[in-house]
Amino acid sequence: PTAAKPNKGGLEGIVAATTAISLVDGTAGRLIYRGYNIHDLARTCTYEEVVHLLWFGHLPTQTELSALHEKFVAERTLPDFVVQTIRELPTTTEPMDVLRTAVSAWGAVSVSGKPTIEQAIAATARFPLILAAFNRFRQGKEMLESRPELGHAANYLYLLTGELPKEEHVRGLNTYLVLLADHGMNASTFTARIVASTESDIVSSLVAALGALKGPLHGGAPSKVQDMLHEIGSVDKAEAWIREAITHGGRLMGFGHRVYKTTDPRAEELREMARVADPEDFKLSGYVEQKALALLDEMKPGRKLYTNVEYYSAALMKAVGLSGDLFTPTFAVSRCAGWTAHILEQVNNNRLIRPEAEYTGPQSATFVPLTERK
Ligand code: SDX
């Protein structure tokens, strides 16, 4: 099918694959995972329930959920060479780069062949452990053992801090992990599917996806939202700062989306949670959001630039105690479920993904040997 509007490149409007995992309806501002509306899932499900839904296509019974939890618990270990790899990295290393490196090391020794659900479970269980181990090492502390009774969100917070997390922090992070778990054919998921389509291994797909997610146009935006709010500093400075940024062609982090041409439904959920989690902080972030939307509408008329998931992700992750350099890695902790679901879907009915390109170079250059070139 051709693009619905003039093709600006970037595969805008191009259908690159069929999937039964999730649908992003950018006109209606609707996101569904396997038919379920994200608002219902975000307000009622644990992350592990949603992972089961993404992988197996249905919400689990209590028996199925307990079985999946046990499988996650059994995989909550890091091989010694992975721990060693993490320890070898300078403590100043970006946690997103630590995650990409440690996952790659794990794959180098322990993973090969056609992607399997067991590998998906192992990867999803290990992303939080890698980040938590590094966070402890850079604080000069020993890494901790997981607590089998804790769910994904609670165990991650516990491993990061060494303290049993507050219930509201677990609830906040769990909802964040549910909201970010999958999102159609976004850049990092498409990257994972391209690598899977060559019949490469699951870790090669995940390392490629981590590389794509790191970019500020995709998953790298949350910490930059926090930087923006910090630079603005107070409501009276908001208008001038935003106007200046847009005038100079800057992109306001947390706004705009390739698909959503209305508010991102995930931003609606996160806005309410941010408002409750830290009312004081919300006075600025809420005001800046309204001012940014008004100025984007005034200065970029017709572009349909609305709040996306990243804008309030920063506020929520800060409220549950994560440092800014753990925001994007925590996005990866969540999206590992979606990436692995898409990798398994790709390999179960595979065809090599290999699009065309529009060649704009010369057609017939005359060859001149090196000795005769002037
Ligand atoms: C995620 O794809 C997904 O599903 C991703 C994601 C997921 O869950 O996987 O939803 C997660 O990545 C959310 C997006 C996080 N990124 C940011 O918040 C960074 C800021 N946003 C932009 O960079 C931008 O909106 C993109 C990259 C997200 C989308 O940009 P497009 O679709 O490529 O749009 P474009 O660059 O063609 O922009 C169209 C116009 C341009 O103006 P003109 O050239 O027409 O004058 O809109 C302007 C852009 O300058 N514009 C912005 C803007 N985003 C677009 N202007 C100011 N601020 C912005 N944020």
Side-chain angles (χ1 to χ4, degrees):
T2 53
K5 45 186 184 271
N7 193 336
K8 293 170 72 175
L11 296 182
E12 182 162 10
I14 301 294
V15 175
T18 55
T19 179
I21 300 169
S22 66
L23 167 67
V24 181
D25 179 342
T27 309
R30 187 170 72 105
L31 169 60
I32 56 176
Y33 294 168
R34 301 277 192 191
Y36 292 92
N37 189 294
I38 195 63
H39 292 299
D40 296 333
L41 297 172
R43 294 169 189 165
T44 60
C45 289
T46 63
Y47 177 68
E48 290 172 326
E49 281 181 87
V50 167
V51 173
H52 188 286
L53 173 65
L54 293 173
W55 284 345
F56 303 108
H58 66 276
L59 284 169
T61 61
Q62 184 56 61
T63 306
E64 289 169 325
L65 183 59
S66 304
L68 181 60
H69 177 72
E70 290 317 310
K71 286 181 179 168
F72 271 130
V73 168
E75 293 293 351
R76 285 177 177 172
T77 58
L78 290 180
D80 290 344
F81 68 88
V82 174
V83 176
Q84 207 42 48
T85 302
I86 298 168
R87 280 190 182 281
E88 291 296 315
L89 292 168
T91 54
T92 51
T93 307
E94 273 297 311
M96 197 59 185
D97 295 338
V98 172
L99 181 58
R100 191 190 61 231
T101 306
V103 169
S104 187
W106 171 56
V109 178
S110 312
V111 176
S112 63
K114 184 173 180 182
T116 64
I117 186 64
E118 288 75 22
Q119 292 170 349
I121 293 169
T124 307
R126 285 180 165 80
F127 274 31
L129 274 53
I130 289 166
L131 292 166
F134 176 69
N135 199 47
R136 297 281 292 180
F137 293 153
R138 68 177 176 179
Q139 295 170 353
K141 298 174 182 170
E142 282 308 304
M143 64 184 275
L144 296 163
E145 289 300 313
S146 290
R147 304 276 294 250
E149 76 279 11
L150 297 182
H152 214 71
N155 190 53
Y156 179 37
L157 289 175
Y158 165 69
L159 293 178
L160 282 168
T161 64
E163 290 158 23
L164 280 178
K166 293 180 189 162
E167 188 39 46
E168 64 264 28
H169 287 179
V170 176
R171 211 171 27 255
L173 182 62
N174 178 75
T175 303
Y176 173 83
L177 296 177
V178 167
L179 289 168
L180 276 290
D182 197 54
H183 207 245
M185 204 49 69
N186 61 85
S188 55
T189 297
F190 183 44
T191 302
R193 290 191 76 129
I194 291 170
V195 175
S197 81
T198 70
E199 295 189 2
S200 186
D201 63 279
I202 197 168
V203 168
S204 297
S205 286
L206 290 173
V207 168
L210 284 163
L213 187 74
K214 178 182 175 183
L217 294 191
H218 183 17
S223 54
K224 299 197 180 306
V225 169
Q226 199 180 34
D227 295 345
M228 172 178 74
L229 291 170
H230 184 71
E231 269 187 51
I232 291 173
S234 61
V235 293
D236 58 321
K237 297 197 181 79
E239 171 146 4
W241 193 97
I242 296 167
R243 200 176 280 281
E244 172 88 1
I246 299 173
T247 304
H248 290 91
R251 281 152 179 265
L252 298 182
M253 293 291 119
F255 296 93
H257 197 277
R258 174 60 60 79
V259 179
Y260 287 123
K261 298 310 168 192
T262 181
T263 303
D264 184 330
R266 301 167 297 175
E268 292 166 2
E269 292 294 331
L270 288 168
R271 179 187 298 116
E272 286 322 303
M273 291 172 62
R275 188 199 307 270
V276 169
D278 190 337
E280 194 50 36
D281 212 43
F282 189 81
K283 283 177 187 161
L284 179 62
S285 54
Y287 180 86
V288 167
E289 180 194 13
Q290 292 314 311
K291 189 55 76 177
L293 291 171
L295 288 172
L296 284 168
D297 193 36
E298 175 198 318
M299 300 170 74
K300 292 273 181 178
R303 273 57 160 219
K304 298 189 176 159
L305 301 171
Y306 293 87
T307 314
N308 66 45
V309 67
E310 311 293 17
Y311 184 75
Y312 285 107
S313 289
L316 185 90
M317 287 193 276
K318 181 182 163 201
V320 303
L322 297 179
S323 55
D325 61 6
L326 287 175
F327 289 177
T328 300
T330 302
F331 186 161
V333 163
S334 169
R335 189 55 57 87
C336 186
W339 288 335
T340 47
H342 280 271
I343 290 163
L344 293 171
E345 185 179 66
Q346 180 68 37
V347 300
N348 286 338
N349 180 19
N350 188 36
R351 184 149 195 272
L352 177 69
I353 296 173
R354 199 275 186 219
E356 290 287 349
E358 181 189 345
Y359 175 68
T360 58
Q363 283 295 343
S364 53
T366 305
F367 184 77
V368 176
L370 178 58
T371 52
E372 295 170 29
R373 287 176 211 151
K374 305 260 184 304

